[in-house]
């Protein structure tokens, strides 16, 4: 028995969704779908910028003692590359998908605070532009994306680059925190009738947990950023040891943010593959409760591991032991998910669409990245390998192999919903294989480079054995990797024009967003069915075998 | 608002922990800290704490649909908050006259940063409350039962709670 | 391809025979870790391939059995990692303590290593001299070194000689160096420290007792007056053109440590912290245009004439 529930109009009328046409519509919109799309395009744009930065670095590093880039240019590029990829590519990617999909996945027509949503996006965008404005202001920041003091203090970095970096991160942080607040409140208050918290689609659940990570971690960054700004501009003494300050304090504050930040980037990607893999295996995810619980465990633990970035600082055996323990511990909930995802396929009927291929690539690549991370938790191994190319391998495997790959899986999965057209599977397969091969060729060798003694953040290196050949091989890989991205853009533009028109539910998926049209109407739903399980559409499509009869849902009396 | 307040508390937590670290590190607790006027600041703090009471009374005014009560107590809150800020300003200028500025030493850097950000949060709150009061007085709020004041009063209580923490750690802590 | 395999073998070869006990622990832990990685990767890949191949679509009609999980299986694959984590944690703590012992409490460091923006200062307080960039140690015993920084955070990293450790301004860190046999080791600064972080290499020479003692004596020797007039001219320029206010030369100067100690620069293998081989030519090139050679370095261009540079090079060369 499934009857539709009409979604009541909100008490105070929302701003008119379609105000104006064209550019004005985009600038003034408060519609979560349009804002989500803006986030995603921003992410794509800055990926091009960040990849160009990476490619310049790879050319410089292809040969030993190369002189393609001056040291100062290289140092500015690697700093901006890191900041760009984390804050201007991965962050808008996850927030974009969350903003677009979460309301629809819970059967809502809008987010809790539509105006705040718009504010979040524009503040974030201006923050990002501010980072690049530093180029015109006398020099981009050149102190690394985590800007260690005292190198980032005025005495050692007299150009305004660092100040722009600080202000840029503050602005982007405000945007991100308000988006997280919006997402959390939306999930708490705007769920469809019958959609209890334990029936949430895993993507929504991960985004929800993630919001708390963001709410708690970014303020710590803000504290550190303000202190650095005050040091630089008002001559305070927080991080300069010559005047009584403590450089290590910056590290504590930054990594107190920095470590939760990387889980902030990873958790939504986990949510994405948790949606994609079940749909293309044609059965529910293996162990919903474990996967959901493990993300809560990760959220709590991630605040207790930050000093594993500081094992080489010499803070003592007890200190190191504590953080080694917590860091190894956090690997367990993260790793367990990999098994859950792989097991979802067993007993299923696996369809290898491009989206599914990317999801599976995440399983492989993120495991490699996660394992190298666990290596660093082993303190003596960290004492050999931290700040070398081994850690550069690790971060790229978890961030690209984890976060970005999840985003690409999500892109192929939700593109039909967002645009009403299917992405070409043919181009998609080429995209995937070039991506997978290019990515691994570029970054796997970094493990060896680190073992061979190449430090990170060097604009060149001496002609010691194997360093040149491995670096050259990596640069070749980067070209393949870059070409995969070009194919992705081609796929997007081609499919927008000529792609097959998508039906409402091209993948036969089971969550509420697939009830809407492709693309959705400005008002997502006129009405939604009463939700009785984690897969409302499965129940609709299989009335003879609904989830709630099989005990797949929590037995609750209606809305919780 | 609760979530926002929760988030901001992490900000203040980081600043408070940093303050505690820096105030002990510099060994200036006995020297620079000795210049803080605990007595005067206590008076102004009591005024700030009472503003939590007045805003609670304003809230009551909403629940009892008593517009005059609401406006009076809201005005009182703003008044008390402003006195607090003036008091802070006076304390600051007294310290500046003794050449204790943010760049004097590690203790003063931490002190001004922590109390300064608290002050900024109070000023922001005062602006918000003033706008709400203006909107009520000019008749723009048709229903008194309004989410805006409720959210603002959660924020205001938060700002007070932070001051409890900051006052204890900074002023009372300097006595230990 | 062959060279690629060589790299892998080279690394594994190194892992089984290291020259330093600290390094031994690290290698052993890393080997256990690699084995674990291998096992886990195999498990994950087999699980994925099985899922993809055995359960590919088209095998069955309609939807498959909608089972949702198996508590027992999930508990197992949660508990086993926990056990592995405990095993590795115990090993980690054990080895970490071993590498850091004995504790440096109450002991005096034999060598003070002070990191600067883009070179390494090494002071031997017991022997009474200071050198730069090239560290000599006696082989076969533990040596306590103290690591400091004069400006920003750097990191002492000589992979074959044990752990790396940060050089932090305002703080003294200690580490033990121990090379069981004589040998040469390369390292690098491993914490981004500004423009020329890439050229802050480290060169450590572990020597047998006789060789080391000989080296110490050569370092302790105060150089005599220059042999010829060019050298004397060089010495005069060294003082009058203010080289002396940054660089120390024993016997004539005021012990400035803003730049590397140049007393025995002619005895070193490289100059500029491993950037160029030490030779008269390179010294001339460097003094002539420092920014061209090591852009961003703190050495100014003194706009010296060619013959002045020549004289300085002669003077430095002849210092013995």
């Amino acid at each position: 028995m499934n009857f539709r529930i009409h979604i009541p109009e909100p008490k105070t009328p929302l701003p008119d969704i379609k105000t104006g046409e064209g550019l004005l519509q985009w600038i003034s919109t408060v519609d979560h779908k349009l804002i989500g799309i803006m986030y995603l395009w921003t992410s794509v744009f800055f990926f091009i910028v960040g990849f160009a930065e990476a490619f310049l670095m790879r050319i410089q590093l292809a040969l030993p003692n190369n002189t393609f880039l001056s040291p100062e240019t290289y140092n500015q590029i690697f700093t901006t590359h890191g900041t760009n990829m984390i804050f201007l590519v991965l962050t808008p990617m996850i927030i974009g998908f969350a903003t677009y999909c979460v309301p629809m996945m819970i059967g809502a027509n809008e987010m809790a605070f539509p105006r705040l949503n718009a504010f979040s996006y524009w503040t974030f965008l201006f923050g990002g532009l501010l980072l690049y404005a530093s180029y015109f202001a006398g020099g981009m920041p050149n102190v690394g994306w985590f800007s260690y003091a005292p190198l980032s203090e005025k005495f050692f970095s007299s150009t305004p680059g660092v100040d722009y970096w600080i202000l840029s991160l503050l602005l982007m942080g405000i945007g991100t925190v308000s988006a997280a607040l919006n997402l959390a409140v939306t999930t708490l208050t705007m769920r469809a009738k019958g959609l209890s918290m334990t029936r949430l689609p895993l993507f929504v659940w991960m985004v929800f947990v993630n919001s708390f990570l963001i709410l708690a971690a970014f303020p710590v960054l803000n504290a550190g950023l303000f202190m650095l700004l005050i040091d630089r501009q008002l001559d305070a003494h927080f991080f300069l040891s010559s005047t009584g300050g403590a450089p290590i304090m910056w590290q504590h504050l930054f990594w107190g943010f920095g470590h939760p930040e990387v889980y902030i980037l990873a958790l939504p990607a986990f949510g994405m593959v948790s949606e994609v893999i079940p749909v293309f295996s044609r059965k529910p995810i293996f162990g919903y409760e474990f996967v959901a619980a493990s993300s809560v465990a990760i959220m709590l633990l991630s605040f207790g591991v930050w000093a594993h970035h500081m094992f080489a600082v010499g803070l003592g055996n007890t200190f190191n032991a504590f953080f080694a323990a917590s860091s190894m511990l956090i690997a367990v909930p993260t790793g367990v998910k990999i098994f859950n995802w792989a097991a979802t396929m067993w007993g299923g009927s696996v369809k290898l669409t491009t989206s599914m291929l990317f999801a599976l690539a995440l399983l492989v690549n993120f495991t490699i990245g996660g394992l190298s991370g666990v290596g660093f938790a082993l303190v003596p191994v960290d004492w050999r390998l931290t700040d070398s190319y081994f850690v550069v391998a690790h971060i790229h495997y978890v961030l690209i192999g984890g976060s970005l790959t999840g985003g690409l899986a999500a892109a192929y999965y939700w593109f039909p919903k967002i645009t009403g057209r299917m992405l070409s599977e043919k181009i998609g397969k080429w995209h995937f294989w070039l991506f997978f091969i290019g990515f691994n060729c570029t970054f796997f060798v970094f493990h060896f480079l680190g073992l061979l003694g190449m430090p990170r953040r060097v604009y060149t290196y001496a002609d010691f054995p194997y360093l040149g050949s491995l670096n050259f091989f990596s640069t070749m890989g980067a070209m393949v990797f870059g070409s995969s991205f070009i194919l992705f853009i081609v796929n997007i533009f081609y499919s927008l024009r000529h792609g097959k028109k998508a039906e409402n539910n091209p993948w036969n998926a089971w969550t509420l967003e697939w009830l809407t049209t492709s693309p959705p109407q400005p008002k997502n739903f006129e009405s939604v069915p009463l939700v009785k399980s984690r897969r409302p559409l499965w129940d609709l499509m299989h009335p003879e075998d609904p989830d709630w009869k099989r005990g797949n849902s929590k037995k609750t009396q209606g809305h919780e | 608002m609760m979530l926002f307040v929760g988030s901001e508390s992490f900000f203040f937590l980081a600043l408070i922990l940093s303050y505690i670290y820096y105030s002990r590190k510099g060994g200036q607790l006995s020297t620079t800290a000795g210049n803080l006027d605990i007595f005067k600041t206590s008076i102004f703090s009591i005024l700030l704490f009472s503003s939590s009471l007045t805003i609670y009374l304003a809230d009551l005014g909403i629940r009892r649909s008593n517009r005059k009560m609401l406006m009076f107590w809201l005005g009182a809150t703003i008044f008390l908050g402003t006195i607090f800020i003036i008091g802070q300003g006076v304390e600051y200028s007294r310290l500046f006259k003794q050449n204790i500025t943010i760049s004097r030493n590690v203790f003063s850097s931490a002190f001004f940063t922590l109390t300064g950000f608290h002050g900024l949060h109070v000023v922001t709150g005062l602006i918000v409350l003033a706008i709400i009061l203006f909107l009520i007085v000019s008749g723009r709020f048709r229903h008194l039962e309004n989410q805006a004041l409720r959210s603002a009063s959660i924020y205001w209580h938060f700002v007070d709670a932070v001051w409890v923490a900051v006052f204890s750690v900074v002023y009372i802590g300097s006595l230990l | 391809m062959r060279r690629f395999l060589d790299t892998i073998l080279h690394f594994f070869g190194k892992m089984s025979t290291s020259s330093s006990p600290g390094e031994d622990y690290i290698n052993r832990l890393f080997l256990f870790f690699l084995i674990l990685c291998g096992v886990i990767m195999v498990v994950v890949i087999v699980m994925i391939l099985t899922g993809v191949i055995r359960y590919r679509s088209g095998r069955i009609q309609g939807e498959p059995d909608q089972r949702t999980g198996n508590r027992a299986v999930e508990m197992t694959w949660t508990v086993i990692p926990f056990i592995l984590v405990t095993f590795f944690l115990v090993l980690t703590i054990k080895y970490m303590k071993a590498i850091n012992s004995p504790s440096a409490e109450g002991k005096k460091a034999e060598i003070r290593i002070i990191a600067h923006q883009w070179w390494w200062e090494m002071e031997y307080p017991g022997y009474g001299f200071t050198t730069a960039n090239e560290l000599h140690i006696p082989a076969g015993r533990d040596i306590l070194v103290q690591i400091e920084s004069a400006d920003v955070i750097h990191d002492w990293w000589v992979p074959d000689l044990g752990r790396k450790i940060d050089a932090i301004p305002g703080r003294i860190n200690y580490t033990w160096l121990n090379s069981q046999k004589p040998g040469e080791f390369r390292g690098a600064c491993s914490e981004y420290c500004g423009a020329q972080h890439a050229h802050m290499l480290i060169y450590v020479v572990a020597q047998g007792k006789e060789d080391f003692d000989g080296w110490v004596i050569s370092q302790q020797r105060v150089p005599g007056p220059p042999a010829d007039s060019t050298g004397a001219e060089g010495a005069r320029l060294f003082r009058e053109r203010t080289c002396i206010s940054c660089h120390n030369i024993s016997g004539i100067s005021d012990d400035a440590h803003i730049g590397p100690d140049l007393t025995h620069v002619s005895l070193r293998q490289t100059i500029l912290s491993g950037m160029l081989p030490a030779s008269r030519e390179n010294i001339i090139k460097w003094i002539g245009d420092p920014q061209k050679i090591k852009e961003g370095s703190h050495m100014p261009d003194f706009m010296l004439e060619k013959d002045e540079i020549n004289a300085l090079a002669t003077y430095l060369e002849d210092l013995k």
Side-chain angles (χ1 to χ4, degrees):
Chain A
M1 182 198 50
N2 252 319
F3 58 94
R4 294 237 161 180
I5 297 175
H6 184 78
I7 299 182
E9 293 294 330
K11 280 208 194 91
T12 49
L14 294 169
D16 191 8
I17 291 180
K18 230 174 153 54
T19 50
E21 292 290 328
L23 193 57
L24 183 61
Q25 181 194 27
W26 287 96
I27 295 180
S28 63
T29 185
V30 295
D31 178 0
H32 76 97
K33 298 186 285 297
L34 297 182
I35 294 175
I37 293 175
M38 288 198 285
Y39 269 115
L40 291 172
W41 274 118
T42 309
S43 171
V44 168
F45 172 73
F46 280 111
F47 183 81
I48 298 175
V49 175
F51 188 82
E53 289 160 347
F55 199 63
L56 287 172
M57 289 195 280
R58 280 292 1 130
I59 296 180
Q60 164 66 11
L61 291 174
L63 303 168
N65 296 315
N66 205 355
T67 51
F68 172 68
L69 294 174
S70 75
E72 181 57 28
T73 310
Y74 184 90
N75 293 340
Q76 291 184 5
I77 290 182
F78 86 70
T79 302
T80 326
H81 166 78
T83 311
N84 183 91
M85 288 305 199
I86 290 180
F87 292 102
L88 286 164
V89 175
L90 291 177
T91 305
M93 181 190 84
I94 62 172
I95 296 194
F97 277 117
T99 306
Y100 194 99
C101 299
V102 164
M104 295 195 335
M105 290 173 96
I106 61 176
N109 279 333
E110 242 315 334
M111 289 192 78
F113 303 118
R115 288 185 210 90
L116 186 68
N117 205 0
F119 168 79
S120 305
Y121 172 72
W122 292 106
T123 313
F124 154 81
L125 180 67
F126 285 125
L129 293 174
L130 198 60
L131 176 70
Y132 283 97
S134 61
Y135 180 74
F136 301 104
M140 308 203 65
N142 58 358
V143 290
W145 85 272
F146 39 85
S147 211
Y148 271 7
L151 183 63
S152 51
E153 292 276 2
K154 198 103 188 174
F155 183 76
F156 296 106
S157 292
S158 48
T159 65
V162 177
D163 301 296
Y164 275 85
W165 180 84
I166 292 174
L167 293 171
S168 156
L169 257 63
L170 283 171
L171 272 181
M172 292 196 287
I174 293 176
T176 310
V177 166
S178 27
L181 199 129
N182 213 346
L183 286 165
V185 175
T186 306
T187 310
L188 282 171
T189 60
M190 298 181 71
R191 283 166 284 130
K193 198 159 155 74
L195 186 54
S196 63
M197 291 299 281
T198 51
R199 289 179 187 163
L200 282 176
L202 278 172
F203 178 65
V204 178
W205 181 253
M206 301 275 183
V207 167
F208 178 68
V209 170
N210 210 34
S211 305
F212 290 97
L213 267 177
I214 293 176
L215 285 170
F218 272 82
V220 178
L221 173 70
N222 290 344
L225 288 175
F226 275 119
M227 286 160 75
L228 183 62
L229 191 63
I230 291 173
D231 257 13
R232 284 178 61 90
Q233 296 302 329
L234 296 178
D235 271 325
H237 305 285
F238 290 114
F239 306 124
L240 266 175
S241 52
S242 47
T243 45
I248 301 182
M249 191 56 145
W250 167 262
Q251 295 188 30
H252 282 297
L253 285 168
F254 187 83
W255 290 118
F257 154 77
H259 198 81
E261 165 71 356
V262 305
Y263 287 104
I264 288 170
L265 298 174
L267 276 182
F270 293 164
M272 290 164 187
V273 304
S274 302
E275 296 295 324
V276 167
I277 293 184
V279 166
F280 294 113
S281 308
R282 307 311 302 159
K283 52 190 276 287
I285 192 159
F286 190 89
Y288 174 101
E289 290 88 358
F290 260 70
V291 176
S294 65
S295 51
V296 177
I298 290 176
M299 175 189 82
L300 295 169
L301 282 172
S302 71
F303 287 104
V305 301
W306 81 88
H308 64 224
H309 299 269
M310 297 163 65
F311 283 147
V313 170
L315 289 167
N317 285 343
T318 321
F319 187 86
N320 287 351
F322 173 78
F323 285 98
S326 62
S327 307
M328 280 187 239
L329 201 59
I330 204 172
V332 176
T334 322
V336 150
K337 286 213 253 289
I338 305 270
F339 296 134
N340 278 75
W341 288 319
T344 304
M345 289 192 287
W346 284 43
S349 178
V350 174
K351 195 150 188 293
L352 287 179
T353 58
T354 310
S355 176
M356 181 63 160
L357 284 172
F358 275 107
L360 295 178
L362 183 146
L363 294 191
V364 175
N365 286 332
F366 186 80
T367 306
I368 297 178
L371 285 172
S372 58
V374 169
F376 285 109
L378 309 174
V379 179
V381 174
D382 183 281
W383 285 343
R384 165 123 187 186
L385 294 174
T386 194
D387 263 312
S388 74
Y389 258 77
F390 199 90
V391 85
V392 182
H394 164 68
I395 61 185
H396 286 89
Y397 265 88
V398 287
L399 287 175
I400 300 182
S403 196
L404 187 69
T405 307
L408 287 171
Y412 277 88
Y413 181 61
W414 277 313
F415 188 88
K417 175 55 55 187
I418 296 177
T419 63
R421 301 246 186 197
M422 306 293 288
L423 273 173
S424 153
E425 279 293 308
K426 192 144 162 260
I427 305 181
K429 297 272 161 59
W430 274 94
H431 170 204
F432 172 74
W433 286 108
L434 285 174
F435 173 90
F436 189 73
I437 293 172
F439 166 70
N440 282 296
C441 284
T442 312
F443 294 101
F444 198 73
V445 293
F446 283 10
H447 294 106
F448 299 118
L449 284 172
L451 289 163
L452 286 170
M454 182 170 175
R456 67 187 288 200
R457 302 173 153 182
V458 289
Y459 74 93
T460 189
Y461 51 93
D463 198 2
F464 292 142
Y466 306 114
L467 292 190
S469 48
L470 288 174
N471 267 299
F472 190 77
F473 182 78
S474 168
T475 304
M476 296 295 111
M479 294 192 196
V480 175
F481 186 46
S483 66
S484 83
F485 185 68
I486 295 176
L487 268 186
F488 180 55
I489 302 291
V490 163
N491 200 352
I492 292 180
F493 281 105
Y494 172 81
S495 305
L496 278 175
R497 280 238 172 87
H498 307 289
K500 190 176 100 178
K501 280 226 157 69
E503 331 146 351
N504 291 4
N505 192 355
W507 310 120
N508 265 317
W510 307 304
T511 41
L512 285 172
E513 77 270 28
W514 300 103
L515 262 185
T516 63
T517 57
S518 299
Q521 300 302 313
K523 185 175 177 186
N524 304 340
F525 304 96
E526 280 297 333
S527 59
V528 272
L530 175 66
V531 173
K532 285 176 150 185
S533 75
R534 291 174 182 144
R535 299 189 302 164
L537 267 61
W538 169 274
D539 296 343
L540 274 180
M541 294 193 283
H542 298 264
E544 76 293 350
D545 178 30
D547 274 354
W548 49 270
K549 272 221 184 106
R550 223 178 303 114
N552 270 355
S553 61
K554 279 278 187 242
K555 288 183 181 54
T556 52
Q557 307 287 68
H559 192 65
E560 209 164 80
Chain B
M1 180 50 73
M2 292 297 282
L3 283 177
F4 176 68
V5 152
S7 180
E8 287 296 278
S9 14
F10 274 89
F11 177 69
F12 279 105
L13 183 67
L15 286 182
I16 289 176
L17 289 174
S18 304
Y19 170 84
I20 294 176
Y21 174 77
Y22 283 116
S23 62
R24 308 181 78 127
K25 179 179 201 287
Q28 290 124 2
L29 264 179
S30 48
T31 52
T32 317
N35 285 301
L36 297 176
D37 188 342
I38 301 178
F39 180 67
K40 272 218 201 88
T41 312
S42 312
I43 307 283
F44 289 117
S45 305
I46 293 177
L47 291 181
L48 186 69
F49 298 145
S50 8
S51 71
S52 258
L53 176 63
T54 55
I55 205 172
Y56 169 73
L57 290 169
D59 242 343
L60 258 186
I62 292 186
R63 269 183 269 151
R64 295 195 191 152
S65 298
N66 184 338
R67 198 152 170 265
K68 280 223 170 66
M69 185 179 179
L70 163 63
M71 290 190 331
F72 177 76
W73 289 114
L74 186 51
T77 309
I78 296 174
F79 177 71
L80 289 170
T82 313
I83 303 280
F84 172 80
I85 289 295
I86 293 175
Q88 282 291 84
V90 164
E91 164 88 341
Y92 273 22
S93 68
R94 194 181 56 80
L95 288 170
F96 291 158
K97 282 210 190 76
Q98 294 172 3
N99 206 19
I100 298 175
T101 58
I102 200 170
S103 61
R104 171 73 175 265
N105 56 41
V106 149
F107 171 83
S108 67
S109 298
F111 171 79
F112 282 109
T113 304
L114 180 58
T115 56
F117 271 108
H118 176 259
L120 281 173
H121 280 73
V122 173
V123 169
T124 313
L126 287 174
I127 295 175
V128 167
L129 289 176
I131 293 176
I132 293 179
L133 182 60
F134 169 75
L135 288 172
I136 294 177
V137 163
S138 65
R140 301 272 181 86
F141 277 166
R142 268 169 280 123
H143 308 286
L144 282 184
E145 147 119 12
N146 196 288
Q147 192 53 31
L149 184 60
R150 289 247 195 78
S151 295
S153 56
I154 293 178
Y155 178 77
W156 192 255
H157 290 304
F158 161 70
V159 154
D160 258 350
V162 170
W163 186 248
V164 171
V166 173
F167 182 74
S168 315
V169 166
V170 175
Y171 286 86
I172 300 184
S174 72
L175 291 174
L176 297 170
Chain C
M1 189 55 190
R2 219 185 132 234
R3 289 173 76 187
F4 190 70
L5 287 174
D6 272 349
T7 315
I8 307 188
L9 287 167
H10 167 78
F11 173 71
F12 279 107
K14 274 157 80 80
M15 277 206 332
S16 45
T17 58
S18 92
S19 50
S20 130
E23 191 53 19
D24 264 336
Y25 286 118
I26 295 179
N27 285 343
R28 217 178 303 159
L29 191 56
F30 190 70
L31 184 61
F32 289 142
F33 165 68
L34 265 188
I35 296 174
L36 173 77
C37 287
V39 167
I40 293 183
M41 282 314 297
V42 165
V43 166
V44 169
I45 291 179
V46 163
M47 276 181 90
I48 294 176
L49 287 177
T50 313
V52 162
I53 298 174
R54 186 153 149 222
Y55 296 103
R56 66 192 175 284
S57 71
R59 215 178 27 102
I60 54 168
Q61 290 287 25
E63 307 283 36
D65 178 24
Q66 301 286 303
R67 73 181 95 118
T68 57
N70 184 326
R71 281 289 155 82
V73 169
E74 293 178 73
M75 286 305 294
T76 315
W77 71 38
T78 308
V79 166
I80 294 185
F82 258 118
I83 297 175
L84 289 170
V85 158
T86 316
F87 167 71
F88 274 98
L89 183 63
V90 167
L91 264 189
T92 299
I93 296 182
K94 199 161 151 238
Y95 287 173
M96 174 175 68
K97 286 209 173 122
I99 293 174
N100 270 346
S101 45
S103 142
E105 288 281 329
K107 298 196 182 58
K108 230 176 145 263
E110 274 185 65
I111 309 177
R112 259 183 92 205
I113 298 176
I114 302 157
H116 293 254
Q117 268 180 323
W118 315 304
W119 61 279
W120 298 92
E121 179 183 343
M122 288 123 178
E123 186 195 326
Y124 290 70
Y127 296 118
F129 66 84
T130 305
T131 181
N133 296 327
E134 199 176 288
L135 187 77
H136 288 244
I137 54 172
R141 65 175 177 85
D142 287 335
I143 298 154
L144 184 64
V145 301
Q146 146 180 338
I147 315 268
E148 306 165 44
S149 167
D151 38 42
V152 298
I153 300 183
H154 302 266
D155 187 277
W156 171 265
W157 184 40
V158 184
D160 292 330
L161 271 190
R163 65 163 295 176
K164 66 169 62 184
I165 185 147
D166 278 356
I168 299 176
R171 185 193 171 84
I172 299 180
N173 273 334
Y174 293 94
T175 190
W176 294 96
L177 297 178
N178 183 335
S179 173
Q180 281 157 338
K181 292 201 279 283
E184 291 171 13
F185 306 96
R186 301 206 171 275
C189 170
S190 166
E191 181 64 61
Y192 179 67
C193 49
Q196 286 291 347
H197 165 63
H199 286 125
M200 205 169 143
L201 303 184
I202 302 171
Y203 181 50
V204 180
V205 182
Q207 300 174 297
K209 185 164 184 353
E210 262 176 43
D211 288 331
F212 180 72
D213 288 342
W215 179 80
V216 168
I217 292 173
S218 72
Q219 295 292 317
Q220 285 173 320
R221 208 168 19 223
V222 175
D228 60 10
S229 60
T230 327
E233 174 67 5
R236 186 189 67 81
L237 285 166
F238 190 82
R239 272 190 305 271
E240 287 176 19
R241 292 311 194 89
T242 72
C243 313
I244 198 173
S245 42
C246 291
H247 294 279
N248 180 54
I249 292 186
S250 302
I252 68 156
S253 79
D254 307 311
D255 211 27
H257 293 287
I258 301 176
D261 188 303
L262 294 178
T263 316
H264 299 284
V265 62
S266 56
L267 295 177
R268 294 183 207 146
Q269 300 264 9
T270 60
I271 57 168
L272 307 179
S273 209
M275 203 173 163
L276 291 174
S279 71
R280 186 193 168 79
E281 251 166 50
N282 284 334
I283 292 186
I284 291 177
K285 262 200 249 171
W286 165 248
I287 301 177
D289 193 351
Q291 291 305 311
K292 183 148 158 271
I293 309 280
K294 197 168 180 180
E295 184 182 322
S297 85
H298 295 311
M299 165 117 163
D301 184 350
F302 286 93
M303 312 293 229
L304 298 167
E305 302 293 334
K306 243 175 91 173
D307 48 313
E308 292 176 317
I309 301 180
N310 241 314
L312 278 169
T314 310
Y315 171 57
L316 291 174
E317 238 186 340
D318 290 340
L319 288 172
K320 288 271 191 288

